[in-house]
Amino acid sequence: MKRKLISAIGIAGMMVSIAACGGEGDGGSDKGADAKELTVWLTVDAQNNWPELVKAADAAVQKKHPGLKINHEYYGWPDKNAKLDAVLATDKAPDVVEMGNTEMLGYMVKGAFAPLDQAKFDNSDAWLDGLKASVTYEGKTYGVPYYAGGRVANWRKDVAASVGVKSAPKTYKELTAALDKIQKKQGDKFSAWYQPTRDWYAAMSFVYDAGGAIATESGGQWKASLSSPESLKGLKEFKNVVDSYMHGDKTKDESDRYIVYGQGKSSMIFAAAWEGATAEDPKNDKTGKLKGNLENFVMPGPSGKNMPVFLGGSDLAVPVKSDAQALAAEWINAFAGSSGQKGLMAKGNLPNNKTDLATLKNDPKTAVPATAAESNWFVPMAPGWGQVEKAQILQTMLQSIGTGKKSVEAAAKEADAAIDKVINTK
């Protein structure tokens, strides 16, 4: 579930007024406990897909605080942050706001959100590592994970069966052996594995699987580490995948992957869990053969372990300018706490914690995404990470590698230099 990180420039203006409030409020305090009104901003996902969970959270909080008025506003992802930036520059900030997990960092760095007492939220000691990272900055918690979306492998069972493979691979060796057979049979106009070159979420999974990292922190300073031996090993294996199995346009990103997959010129993707189902939708399936023929499986890593995956998802935060911070924290726990997670799981989402995630592994319908999500990674929580994303440094590096314009070592060295220029800049 990809959310674009807002650039520091975009929120700079509204932070001028927030700076005067620096340090104000604490989600663990009683500030706003007697407020008479609460304003909650969520995306349309909640409005369209689980409105009953919103009502249940309202009812739980209002039962404890009779007479409390709760207002809800819903926004689409494309325009949410622009509206949030504008209102944060005034004195009428919402009390709860939903954020994509990669959007959190830019706001935490600039002091837009109030610190929260993690111990006051259900299952906080078991939050998924990648989600916990998204709400943590400089040792403090500034949000609560809401729900997650992971990445899995998906392939065409009919194409696999045509080369004698009747079950999903459990190891990377089994996977590549099957793909080699498929590629040989289908020819070089077919992508045994459609892997967009600029898809840094997939590429960095190879890096982390090999023991590498985008950047590492020491003494409060971040330094890019794509040129480390471990990271280079992961990048070289990613290049091997692109060279061996990706016979499409090697300058593309993953934004239309499910559409390309639906065209029938590839047999596998490593993607967000929803992409396979979307590809087989009659609107996207140009082959008429995908319905019931696609299978999700846990992506095996070259290391011999399950491939670590990027966890997308949403978080809930309390703006530092909120006058009802204590009530906001209560509402968040009612909505994204134990009972809320059960409701979200029933709607097909991954929960925010390992305890609930374990229960999904016992259900064949959810075992694959739940198992895949156990091994996960997240972006470096560095003050300048937003600038790294904005400059598309990783995408540029990967395109240079995938097209053969530069060697893996040269492209990684150039990317490290570009990252180091901005990653520690607030």
Side-chain angles (χ1 to χ4, degrees):
M1 198 170 299
K2 181 178 173 185
R3 312 295 189 209
K4 292 185 178 179
L5 183 64
I6 188 167
S7 71
I9 295 173
I11 58 176
M14 65 92 173
M15 288 305 168
V16 172
S17 61
I18 286 179
C21 305
E24 180 183 321
D26 183 344
S29 74
D30 292 329
K31 180 183 178 182
D34 58 352
K36 303 302 181 185
E37 194 167 337
L38 194 68
T39 298
V40 177
W41 281 21
L42 299 173
T43 68
V44 292
D45 298 336
Q47 184 181 32
N48 296 335
N49 301 319
W50 44 87
E52 70 277 14
L53 301 183
V54 177
K55 291 180 181 178
D58 289 353
V61 175
Q62 288 171 327
K63 183 176 181 180
K64 291 178 61 179
H65 303 277
L68 175 66
K69 181 181 179 182
I70 303 180
N71 307 304
H72 292 282
E73 295 185 29
Y74 295 93
Y75 295 92
W77 286 105
D79 59 354
K80 174 182 67 69
N81 286 352
K83 293 180 178 179
L84 178 61
D85 295 348
V87 78
L88 287 180
T90 72
D91 293 323
K92 297 181 179 180
D95 303 299
V96 177
V97 62
E98 176 182 351
M99 305 292 297
N101 60 356
T102 63
E103 295 172 343
M104 285 289 294
L105 183 55
Y107 288 83
M108 293 190 294
V109 168
K110 297 297 182 180
F113 298 142
L116 303 174
D117 180 355
Q118 182 180 324
K120 291 187 175 182
F121 298 94
D122 295 350
N123 297 310
S124 60
D125 58 343
W127 283 343
L128 297 178
D129 296 338
L131 298 186
K132 182 177 181 180
S134 75
V135 299
T136 306
Y137 182 67
E138 294 186 338
K140 291 186 177 182
T141 300
Y142 290 95
V144 174
Y146 173 10
Y147 66 91
R151 281 166 169 73
V152 298
N154 180 286
W155 76 355
R156 288 182 58 174
K157 293 185 290 183
D158 59 338
V159 177
S162 72
V163 295
V165 179
K166 298 181 179 180
S167 60
K170 301 295 184 184
T171 68
Y172 193 71
K173 185 177 181 180
E174 290 177 0
L175 173 63
T176 55
L179 293 175
D180 287 343
K181 293 177 182 178
I182 292 170
Q183 193 64 67
K184 182 178 180 180
K185 179 176 181 178
Q186 297 290 339
D188 60 9
K189 291 185 179 181
F190 185 88
S191 294
W193 176 348
Y194 181 74
Q195 179 51 64
T197 308
R198 291 172 65 88
D199 177 12
W200 65 275
Y201 296 101
M204 293 306 105
S205 286
F206 280 87
V207 167
Y208 283 91
D209 179 71
I214 299 170
T216 57
E217 186 266 341
S218 179
Q221 289 292 300
W222 288 84
K223 185 170 180 58
S225 56
L226 293 168
S227 294
S228 73
E230 296 83 1
S231 294
L232 289 175
K233 181 180 180 181
L235 287 171
K236 287 177 180 179
E237 185 53 36
F238 180 76
K239 175 175 171 56
N240 182 53
V241 166
V242 173
D243 288 347
S244 300
Y245 310 121
M246 170 61 176
H247 297 286
D249 183 348
K250 294 185 179 180
T251 66
K252 286 179 67 67
D253 65 16
E254 71 281 9
S255 59
D256 65 347
R257 174 170 42 210
Y258 66 93
I259 294 175
V260 175
Y261 195 32
Q263 293 171 351
K265 295 182 180 179
S266 54
S267 58
M268 175 185 150
I269 56 175
F270 173 38
W274 56 266
E275 291 188 54
T278 305
E280 71 176 17
D281 185 295
K283 293 182 296 185
N284 300 313
D285 179 10
K286 305 305 179 184
T287 71
K289 300 177 181 179
L290 299 187
K291 190 69 174 177
N293 225 336
L294 298 183
E295 179 181 18
N296 280 338
F297 59 94
V298 178
M299 180 69 188
S303 68
K305 301 178 181 179
N306 291 342
M307 184 77 88
V309 298
F310 175 82
L311 281 184
S314 283
D315 299 322
L316 299 166
V318 179
V320 73
K321 283 191 169 186
S322 166
D323 292 324
Q325 291 181 19
L327 282 179
E330 282 190 45
W331 191 91
I332 289 174
N333 197 45
F335 185 54
S338 295
S339 60
Q341 290 302 312
K342 289 181 175 57
L344 289 165
M345 287 190 292
K347 295 290 184 178
N349 299 292
L350 291 178
N352 65 6
N353 67 91
K354 299 171 185 176
T355 304
D356 286 327
L357 189 70
T359 67
L360 296 182
K361 291 175 63 179
N362 299 322
D363 184 343
K365 294 179 181 178
T366 55
V368 168
T371 301
E374 286 185 312
S375 178
N376 55 78
W377 62 272
F378 198 64
V379 300
M381 295 302 284
W385 177 252
Q387 296 182 57
V388 175
E389 278 210 38
K390 183 184 178 186
Q392 298 193 356
I393 295 171
L394 296 179
Q395 293 95 321
T396 299
M397 173 190 72
L398 293 172
Q399 184 169 323
S400 294
I401 290 172
T403 58
K405 182 179 179 180
K406 294 178 181 175
S407 68
V408 173
E409 290 84 357
K413 182 178 180 181
E414 184 177 274
D416 277 347
I419 290 172
D420 284 339
K421 286 182 180 179
V422 298
I423 197 167
N424 292 296
T425 304
K426 290 188 177 182

